[in-house]
Amino acid sequence: MFEESLVVQSAVSAFNNAALATPAFFWWGLLMVPLFFVVYKYGNRFMDMIGWQRDDSYTRIIKWTVVFSLMWVVLFGGNYNVLRDSETVLPFITATILFMGMMFVGFITRDIKLPKWKSLVRRDKFKFAFLAAVVLGIIGLTDTHKWWGPILQIVAFVGGAWCGRSMKYKLQNVPFISAFLLLFVTMILMQPEFFRYGQLGNLTILHLIGVLSVGLPIVDMVVVRNTRPAGKIYNSAFVKLKWMMRCLVALSGVLFVMTESVPVFIGVCVLVGGLAWLRIVHAHSVPKYLSDRLLLLAIFCFGLVTVMPVISCMAILGWCALPHSDFVRDVRSLL
């Protein structure tokens, strides 16, 4: 009864069943509704207290989202024993997340001059060695399923920081955070049991909606930012194309619910983006700040999916900083 493998399998099974019956991110989101209301009500006062300007709040939110996401990957990653297969691409995906995140952090901090290596080691040799060992040890512990796992994560962490600080070209915040969050939710969908999100192959509707709530706004935001309204499509042809795209989106959504497949998830995002592109090309104008609100919506939902209320609260602060508009009406213009 107390055999090690039996105990582990029983614990994993109990965890998976609990994750299915009670999607934790959803109930945490409901419990945080009062917090979100307070942030929405008094967000402008809070921004004044911490010294955030409305003009730069958008950039600050993106930067802190990346930082907290890196901490989440390092500290909140699950146990490799819960994976069904011993051979998985998960270590390479987490290493990619670490590399991208540290590249961004290194880029935004490249103006900060670091002390020279020799003087740093000579002045605080033991303190420097202790801090370096602690940080690299925590990074290495994110992947211990193989002997090369810690090495991969540490190399990705250090290499990303070095590439960011030595980068000569400007790293754009919005394209980066779009790719970063989309890769992040794709990783969660690939191995939900590893990130305590649910059991692979048995996700509920709430789990799937949670993933879509991050991916779809990002795709729509990218389309809105990179497409100019032209009014080129005739109305009769536009109506037929619009309903054809809507049917394809609905069918792909049903297929995603049935399969929970990553390729199908990407296909749904592409079709929704195609529908938004069709509407924008047909339209003569696009609501102002729509792309900003779509990105903030994606960041808010990302905070819910990963159970990081601080990210959701930052998204609410950014929303409060934007001029008021009818967001529901603006989104309906894309569907």
Side-chain angles (χ1 to χ4, degrees):
M1 183 176 67
F2 296 102
E3 185 180 353
E4 182 178 355
S5 61
L6 182 61
V7 173
V8 172
Q9 292 174 3
S10 300
V12 171
S13 177
F15 158 75
N16 290 332
N17 293 335
L20 278 177
T22 57
F25 79 97
F26 176 76
W27 302 115
W28 277 108
L30 288 181
L31 291 173
M32 289 185 291
V33 167
L35 173 63
F36 297 153
F37 175 77
V38 172
V39 174
Y40 179 79
K41 189 72 173 178
Y42 303 102
N44 292 329
R45 298 183 185 178
F46 179 76
M47 292 177 66
D48 295 336
M49 291 175 58
I50 63 178
W52 280 21
Q53 302 296 327
R54 292 193 176 187
D55 296 337
D56 65 348
S57 62
Y58 196 70
T59 302
R60 291 177 181 268
I61 291 169
I62 293 175
K63 292 178 179 178
W64 281 108
T65 298
V66 174
V67 172
F68 283 118
S69 299
L70 281 175
M71 297 173 61
W72 188 86
V73 169
V74 173
L75 301 176
F76 196 72
N79 191 336
Y80 277 89
N81 289 330
V82 303
L83 299 181
R84 291 182 172 184
D85 300 322
S86 58
E87 300 298 329
T88 176
V89 297
L90 182 62
F92 303 99
I93 299 179
T94 54
T96 303
I97 293 290
L98 283 177
F99 181 84
M100 291 179 60
M102 286 307 301
M103 183 175 63
F104 183 81
V105 172
F107 176 80
I108 63 178
T109 58
R110 62 179 180 172
D111 294 333
I112 301 176
K113 294 184 179 180
L114 297 177
K116 294 183 178 180
W117 178 266
K118 292 183 179 180
S119 62
L120 180 64
V121 174
R122 187 183 305 112
R123 184 177 54 189
D124 297 313
K125 182 188 303 184
F126 297 103
K127 183 178 180 180
F128 171 76
F130 175 75
L131 291 177
V134 170
V135 173
L136 295 181
I138 294 175
I139 299 300
L141 288 175
T142 59
D143 183 5
T144 57
H145 82 295
K146 298 285 186 181
W147 64 268
W148 47 263
I151 300 175
L152 175 65
Q153 305 302 321
I154 292 174
V155 169
F157 182 84
V158 177
W162 180 82
C163 290
R165 293 190 64 86
S166 60
M167 186 179 295
K168 296 181 180 179
Y169 302 99
K170 186 176 181 180
L171 194 63
Q172 299 294 332
N173 291 336
V174 175
F176 177 85
I177 195 65
S178 303
F180 186 78
L181 293 184
L182 196 58
L183 178 61
F184 215 108
V185 294
T186 303
M187 176 180 65
I188 294 176
L189 181 61
M190 288 177 63
Q191 303 289 352
E193 67 276 19
F194 182 82
F195 297 106
R196 301 175 176 88
Y197 188 68
Q199 172 61 25
L200 182 62
N202 292 284
L203 297 180
T204 64
I205 295 295
L206 293 176
H207 289 97
L208 300 177
I209 291 177
V211 174
L212 290 173
S213 66
V214 180
L216 299 186
I218 291 176
V219 174
D220 282 343
M221 182 273 299
V222 172
V223 173
V224 172
R225 286 179 62 91
N226 296 279
T227 306
R228 289 185 178 182
K232 289 185 176 179
I233 306 177
Y234 293 106
N235 191 61
S236 59
F238 168 72
V239 172
K240 296 181 178 65
L241 291 173
K242 177 184 67 176
W243 280 104
M244 182 186 71
M245 290 297 297
R246 285 179 175 177
C247 292
L248 290 176
V249 169
L251 290 174
S252 62
V254 172
L255 183 62
F256 176 62
V257 171
M258 295 173 60
T259 62
E260 305 166 15
S261 172
V262 172
V264 178
F265 167 72
I266 297 175
V268 174
C269 293
V270 171
L271 289 174
V272 171
L275 178 59
W277 177 85
L278 186 68
R279 294 299 297 260
I280 294 174
V281 171
H282 175 70
H284 295 279
S285 63
V286 175
K288 197 174 182 181
Y289 301 110
L290 177 58
S291 63
D292 297 337
R293 293 187 183 277
L294 286 170
L295 180 57
L296 290 172
L297 175 63
I299 293 175
F300 174 84
C301 295
F302 176 76
L304 295 180
V305 168
T306 56
V307 197
M308 285 192 287
V310 63
I311 292 181
S312 298
C313 291
M314 287 192 301
I316 295 175
L317 291 177
W319 191 286
C320 295
L322 294 176
H324 178 73
S325 66
D326 191 346
F327 179 69
V328 176
R329 182 198 61 194
D330 296 341
V331 171
R332 289 180 61 185
S333 65
L334 299 177
L335 302 176

